[in-house]
Amino acid sequence: MLRSVSRLSSSAGKQFLVRAALTQHGTALARRSAVCATANVVRSYATGKKTVPLTAEKYPGFVRNEKYKKLTDDDVAHFRGIVGDSAVIYNNEDDLEAFNTDWMNKFRGQSQLVLKPKTTQQVADILKYCNEQCIAVVPQGGNTGLVGGSIPVFDEVVVSLQGMNQIRTFDDVSGILTADAGCVLESLDNWLAEKGYMMPLDLGAKGSCHIGGNLATNAGGLRLVRYGSLHGTVLGIEAVLPDGTILDSMSTLRKDNTGYDLKQLFIGSEGTIGIITGVSILTPRRPNAVNVALLGVNSFEDVQKAFKQSRIQLSEILSAFEYYDNNALQIFKKHSEARPIMESEYPFYVLIETQGSNKDHDEEKLNGYLEAMMEDEIAQDGVVAQDETQSKSIWGVREGLTEALGKEGAVYKYDISMPVSKINDCVLDMRDHLEKGGVFGKPDSPVIDVVGYGHVGDGNLHLNIPARQADARVMELIEPYLFEWVAKQKGSISAEHGLGVSKNEYLSYSKSDNMIKLMKTFKNMLDPNGILNPYKYLPSK
């Protein structure tokens, strides 16, 4: 239930209604936990209850490269000697299922062996042997990705970083943290909270994803507009090269202008040139004051106006600026028992978060911004959280969209970036394109809707197309049409989720031939036998 808490009068005589969701604290935490644990819940469901088609059979064009050795008992015995019996899963279909299948039930591999090293040296020994024997390897973190990058395609050995989950050092003066790559993002953030610091990135999957996987995919997340990308906050890495060489670049220096900045090669490399085993990262102070507001607006033009004004009036305290359309909200409501945050519905919703050090100062700036939104008729309605529980309720809708969409029969998910002004144009164009293609717009059409949400602050659209079931006609209409559209806007076919097996063949829509050629040169130089994460990331042609 919603109730009126206070009113802010604007000079235009309008009233900005500040409401608070009276959600019980336990209920809100439970819902937030469910969102964070989505990957684990769905992964468990996949075990023994739903047969996911093999990636190699579902997606045409995959042929196992026979240069890769098939495992023998001697190989398995050698690996046992490196990591111990307890860190080996071999020929046990039930236990292997969680490592062979992604949380969306979209990709499934055929690995017969999972290794769980606990030290960097063990990772080095594993890769050295695999390189000598030409055994293909897939590095795996929390397995929360969306493009199949951490799932085997055939029988590659899975090297899981789950066992490498220790915090190494923390400097409470500089805020520099060093940790194993297998540390769960939320666990690091909770640990830092006790020290007055926080992780510089925040993701919906933070309860499951690993910091090493975040680096390997260059994850962006909800607060990039405030804290920047991992290319800026990561100070150093430790990685194991395909031949077993340990690259120790765990710098804790903010300034180091000596030689090539090699760590940048590994950030976003998706485990194709080395396995990240450690990270050194700059963490910001945890804010003393956090405010969350939700606005209802009538057009995407108003979304842009609200964003532009937020950069002016909120400037240094703005930490997130998210949007979702009403179509996305309807999918969420269909699969959620959460009560509405607003009494009325609007075409678009804007979620604004501020983080600062002075509660009174921040509230004054936010209130001034909200008054301006109403006075200029940009916002039609809005709510402001009065405590942490209500903040989680507002965030719960935005973060719960992925989970809700995943409950449809099928969902085609696209993570793309482009100029902010083009974000909603992309959604509208896709609706029109699918309707003209005969798969959307009628009661019996396979496509249920085309919805948009994402990070306005960095031009990142999550385009989702829920359908009643997977349909080849739908995929043929979407790809490569969408990538061509994005390329015309000078955007990127992957903003933060990576390439994996979903987008590697379409890389030319975002990168030039010369760029791709240079990428392949790096790959061949560092991994001449091609053992790390084969069949992915770079185009085969």
Side-chain angles (χ1 to χ4, degrees), residues 445-498:
S445 296
V447 171
I448 296 170
D449 207 344
V450 179
V451 309
Y453 61 92
H455 319 301
V456 176
D458 44 78
N460 184 182
L461 167 65
H462 295 303
L463 180 71
N464 282 249
I465 304 170
R468 290 174 175 80
Q469 66 277 324
D471 191 313
R473 294 177 299 161
V474 176
M475 179 63 82
E476 290 170 2
L477 283 167
I478 299 172
E479 300 179 11
Y481 176 85
L482 176 62
F483 303 140
E484 293 170 350
W485 193 96
V486 170
K488 290 177 183 177
Q489 316 307 321
K490 299 188 181 303
S492 171
I493 64 170
S494 183
E496 61 182 0
H497 293 163

Side-chain angles (χ1 to χ4, degrees), residues 226-247:
R226 171 70 175 272
Y227 299 108
S229 77
L230 290 171
H231 280 295
T233 55
V234 172
L235 303 178
I237 65 162
E238 176 187 80
V240 180
L241 302 183
D243 65 356
T245 300
I246 298 174
L247 180 67

Side-chain angles (χ1 to χ4, degrees), residues 300 303-304 307 321-325 348 416-430 450-463 482 485-486 489:
F300 193 75
V303 172
Q304 296 176 72
F307 176 55
F321 194 101
E322 302 286 302
Y323 104 99
Y324 52 90
D325 60 27
F348 298 94
I416 47 186
S417 61
M418 63 199 70
V420 173
S421 62
K422 300 295 183 180
I423 286 178
N424 195 53
D425 290 346
C426 183
V427 179
L428 296 176
D429 186 86
M430 182 55 67
V450 179
V451 309
Y453 61 92
H455 319 301
V456 176
D458 44 78
N460 184 182
L461 167 65
H462 295 303
L463 180 71
L482 176 62
W485 193 96
V486 170
Q489 316 307 321

Side-chain angles (χ1 to χ4, degrees), residues 111-186:
S111 179
Q112 294 302 306
L113 177 66
V114 173
L115 303 175
K116 299 180 180 181
K118 288 184 170 60
T119 67
T120 301
Q121 187 58 53
Q122 287 180 352
V123 175
D125 292 343
I126 290 169
L127 288 191
K128 183 176 186 296
Y129 182 81
C130 288
N131 193 53
E132 292 170 349
Q133 298 294 317
C134 205
I135 297 172
V137 173
V138 172
Q140 190 175 104
N143 201 9
T144 59
L146 295 169
V147 293
S150 62
I151 300 295
V153 176
F154 293 102
D155 56 351
E156 302 90 280
V157 172
V158 174
V159 176
S160 169
L161 278 294
Q162 287 181 0
M164 297 187 65
N165 55 13
Q166 300 299 307
I167 292 172
R168 300 185 185 182
T169 64
F170 180 67
D171 184 339
D172 63 2
V173 175
S174 65
I176 297 171
L177 171 78
T178 65
D180 289 349
C183 290
V184 173
L185 179 60
E186 188 172 45

Side-chain angles (χ1 to χ4, degrees), residues 280-301:
S280 170
I281 190 167
L282 180 66
T283 67
R285 289 290 305 183
R286 187 168 290 269
N288 294 325
V290 178
N291 292 291
V292 178
L294 183 71
L295 305 180
V297 301
N298 281 336
S299 68
F300 193 75
E301 287 71 22

Side-chain angles (χ1 to χ4, degrees), residues 195-500:
K195 314 290 183 182
Y197 285 82
M198 62 183 283
M199 291 299 288
L201 73 162
D202 188 12
L203 311 172
K206 66 182 178 183
S208 303
C209 64
H210 294 180
I211 186 62
N214 298 151
L215 267 64
T217 57
N218 190 25
L222 302 166
R223 296 184 176 90
L224 187 141
V225 67
R226 171 70 175 272
Y227 299 108
S229 77
L230 290 171
H231 280 295
T233 55
V234 172
L235 303 178
I237 65 162
E238 176 187 80
V240 180
L241 302 183
D243 65 356
T245 300
I246 298 174
L247 180 67
D248 185 354
S249 181
M250 287 286 282
S251 172
T252 57
L253 302 176
R254 295 191 67 179
K255 285 188 173 181
D256 180 7
N257 216 8
T258 54
Y260 297 115
D261 193 0
L262 296 178
K263 68 176 181 291
Q264 302 295 353
L265 273 180
F266 293 85
I267 298 173
S269 65
E270 297 184 37
T272 58
I273 58 174
I275 298 181
I276 297 173
T277 53
V279 57
S280 170
I281 190 167
L282 180 66
T283 67
R285 289 290 305 183
R286 187 168 290 269
N288 294 325
V290 178
N291 292 291
V292 178
L294 183 71
L295 305 180
V297 301
N298 281 336
S299 68
F300 193 75
E301 287 71 22
D302 286 338
V303 172
Q304 296 176 72
K305 291 176 182 177
F307 176 55
K308 181 179 180 180
Q309 197 63 25
S310 73
R311 301 288 298 273
I312 297 171
Q313 289 189 253
L314 301 178
S315 60
E316 81 284 356
I317 64 171
L318 180 66
S319 57
F321 194 101
E322 302 286 302
Y323 104 99
Y324 52 90
D325 60 27
N326 190 52
N327 301 62
L329 178 63
Q330 297 311 311
I331 297 289
F332 176 82
K333 290 169 65 176
K334 179 179 176 181
H335 298 288
S336 173
E337 296 180 357
R339 294 179 179 179
I341 303 245
M342 288 184 178
E343 294 174 355
S344 300
E345 293 187 351
Y346 300 91
F348 298 94
Y349 298 88
V350 169
L351 189 158
I352 299 164
E353 181 186 77
T354 65
Q355 295 184 350
S357 59
N358 187 303
K359 182 175 181 293
D360 293 337
H361 167 269
D362 294 357
E363 287 185 354
E364 181 179 353
K365 294 193 75 167
L366 180 60
N367 289 342
Y369 169 76
L370 297 176
E371 287 181 2
M373 290 299 96
M374 293 300 292
E375 184 176 315
D376 296 338
E377 298 186 349
I378 294 173
Q380 304 304 311
D381 196 358
V383 297
V384 178
Q386 300 300 298
D387 55 36
E388 184 179 0
T389 298
Q390 293 162 12
S391 294
K392 289 181 177 180
S393 296
I394 294 174
W395 269 113
V397 177
R398 168 61 185 86
E399 292 185 327
L401 295 175
T402 299
E403 181 182 9
L405 285 156
K407 292 180 179 179
E408 295 293 347
V411 59
Y412 301 89
K413 306 178 73 65
Y414 295 91
D415 157 57
I416 47 186
S417 61
M418 63 199 70
V420 173
S421 62
K422 300 295 183 180
I423 286 178
N424 195 53
D425 290 346
C426 183
V427 179
L428 296 176
D429 186 86
M430 182 55 67
R431 287 175 187 163
D432 182 64
H433 177 65
L434 295 180
E435 186 170 359
K436 289 178 179 178
V439 298
F440 175 56
K442 297 179 180 179
D444 59 346
S445 296
V447 171
I448 296 170
D449 207 344
V450 179
V451 309
Y453 61 92
H455 319 301
V456 176
D458 44 78
N460 184 182
L461 167 65
H462 295 303
L463 180 71
N464 282 249
I465 304 170
R468 290 174 175 80
Q469 66 277 324
D471 191 313
R473 294 177 299 161
V474 176
M475 179 63 82
E476 290 170 2
L477 283 167
I478 299 172
E479 300 179 11
Y481 176 85
L482 176 62
F483 303 140
E484 293 170 350
W485 193 96
V486 170
K488 290 177 183 177
Q489 316 307 321
K490 299 188 181 303
S492 171
I493 64 170
S494 183
E496 61 182 0
H497 293 163
L499 297 166

